[in-house]
Amino acid sequence: MPVRTIEWVGETDGCVRLIDQTLLPVETRFIECKDPGTLWEAIKSLRVRGAPAIGIAAAMGVVLGAQKSQAETGAGLVSDVERCADYLATARPTAANLFWALDRMRRAARESAEKHPEEIRHRLLAEANTILEEDRDICRRIGRNGAELIHDGDTVLTHCNAGSLATADYGTALGVIYAAHEQGKRVSVFADETRPLLQGARLTTWELMQRGIDVTLICDNTAGLVMKEDKVNLILVGADRIAANGDTANKVGTYSLAVLAGEHDVPFYVAAPLSTFDLDVDCGHNIPIEQRSGEEITCGFGRRTAPKGVKTYSPAFDVTPGYHITAIITEHGIIARPTTKGISEHFAEANK
Ligand code: MRU
């Protein structure tokens, strides 16, 4: 059984329990977040990470905010909830799922503003748990849709971690691999190390090995070579935010992979739920990109690897233009060669 990335423990007076991903794969430790501040820190420092998991965590953070509120009226509680959601939204700027989940929580609070505060807390907990349960189902649907693109004996290259650990329990890009594996197809994986925080080395290999899937770890800079050597049949990655025209923000290094994929004629797929699309953003240029501390590349995991005082540039994500993407796989189906028109038609279909 894969570990549960995140869950709410108890009733409205309970707390959020999550696996501390900064310690993996050396230590499997669960932490409990009992207030919004601890939850905010867990998102900021990537104890919980991956766009869908961040959304679920933030939704549960709002329940913690409602729990701590001293408000005696429904309206008072709703304004505390709005403040808490605004605060949690500052944890990380890129993943669309964070803002999407917080909006759902705000809406749930507003819709029950007439009720007693304790009833609103119950409503908010139910909404957060629904977001989690929906993610379990959505990822399995993404997996089934994407598995059609994988043939028996294929080798997939992936970047960062878009697996169980990045979602409630199944994954998007890795969910596609899990679904193909469950269908009896033999699938092998090259996992990029994913500098500087090593989500590929630490997390993707860990969860693939737990599921008995053949995985080979490579340095990020080996990706071009394995494509040149004809060792990769397809590339599968997740997404943090997809603009209306298909431009996709994902872990820095994804763009290089997409360009290399074009050069070597390797199909390049993005797997993501509809909640990762931000149709209010017309193109990738307008996606806010998180800048991380230089320390993460000069002194990662406590070991200095660059001179003190060296200048750094450390964006957490890059944007792959839609025209480099062979297809985007969602819970609703497959958007081939994404364009603004194709994406808006996909949404229209999905919302029918
Ligand atoms: O900085 P991280 O580890 O949160 O970045 C995660 C990614 O880039 C994932 O590929 C993305 O969030 C999709 S997770 C299903």
Side-chain angles (χ1 to χ4, degrees), residues 140-294:
R140 282 163 179 78
R141 283 160 56 199
I142 292 172
R144 277 196 296 277
N145 291 337
E148 290 175 21
L149 303 166
I150 297 190
H151 302 102
D152 186 37
D154 272 356
T155 298
V156 180
L157 188 148
T158 191
H159 190 64
C160 195
N161 173 267
S164 307
L165 290 164
T167 59
D169 70 346
Y170 196 71
T172 55
L174 297 192
V176 171
I177 294 169
Y178 297 150
H181 180 73
E182 284 159 20
Q183 291 169 3
K185 293 177 188 166
R186 286 163 300 156
V187 192
S188 299
V189 179
F190 279 119
D192 276 356
E193 200 175 22
T194 317
R195 283 272 295 152
L197 296 180
L198 305 181
Q199 289 92 331
R202 298 186 302 105
L203 310 176
T204 293
T205 57
W206 183 78
E207 63 168 271
L208 286 169
M209 288 169 79
Q210 279 197 345
R211 293 199 190 231
I213 292 173
D214 179 65
V215 55
T216 303
L217 175 64
I218 57 171
C219 296
D220 297 324
N221 29 19
T222 306
L225 180 63
V226 290
M227 287 186 229
K228 188 158 183 266
E229 290 175 339
D230 268 339
K231 290 184 171 146
V232 179
N233 300 99
L234 66 152
I235 299 178
L236 257 172
V237 295
D240 275 79
R241 196 187 294 220
I242 304 175
N245 70 345
D247 292 355
T248 295
N250 190 50
K251 179 55 58 193
V252 68
T254 302
Y255 168 61
S256 321
L257 286 182
V259 174
L260 283 164
E263 173 69 18
H264 297 287
D265 236 351
V266 175
F268 181 89
Y269 297 113
V270 171
L274 295 174
S275 53
T276 299
F277 287 75
D278 184 348
L279 301 183
D280 293 334
V281 167
D282 59 342
C283 68
H285 183 71
N286 293 322
I287 298 177
I289 299 294
E290 177 182 11
Q291 300 295 324
R292 301 289 301 180
S293 154

Side-chain angles (χ1 to χ4, degrees), residues 332-343:
H332 183 67
I334 290 172
I335 311 169
R337 291 282 165 208
T339 57
T340 306
K341 182 165 174 282
I343 290 172

Side-chain angles (χ1 to χ4, degrees), residues 96-154:
N97 306 62
L98 172 63
F99 310 100
W100 168 87
L102 290 172
D103 280 348
R104 264 182 77 159
M105 297 302 285
R106 284 191 190 95
R107 222 173 308 130
R110 283 181 206 139
E111 280 167 10
S112 37
E114 306 294 306
K115 306 230 163 88
H116 185 274
E118 196 48 29
E119 265 184 82
I120 303 177
R121 290 188 185 97
H122 280 284
R123 172 75 189 86
L124 290 170
L125 176 56
E127 187 70 9
N129 278 327
T130 301
I131 291 174
L132 182 141
E133 287 305 325
E134 284 177 4
D135 181 82
R136 288 162 57 87
D137 174 56
I138 285 168
C139 285
R140 282 163 179 78
R141 283 160 56 199
I142 292 172
R144 277 196 296 277
N145 291 337
E148 290 175 21
L149 303 166
I150 297 190
H151 302 102
D152 186 37
D154 272 356

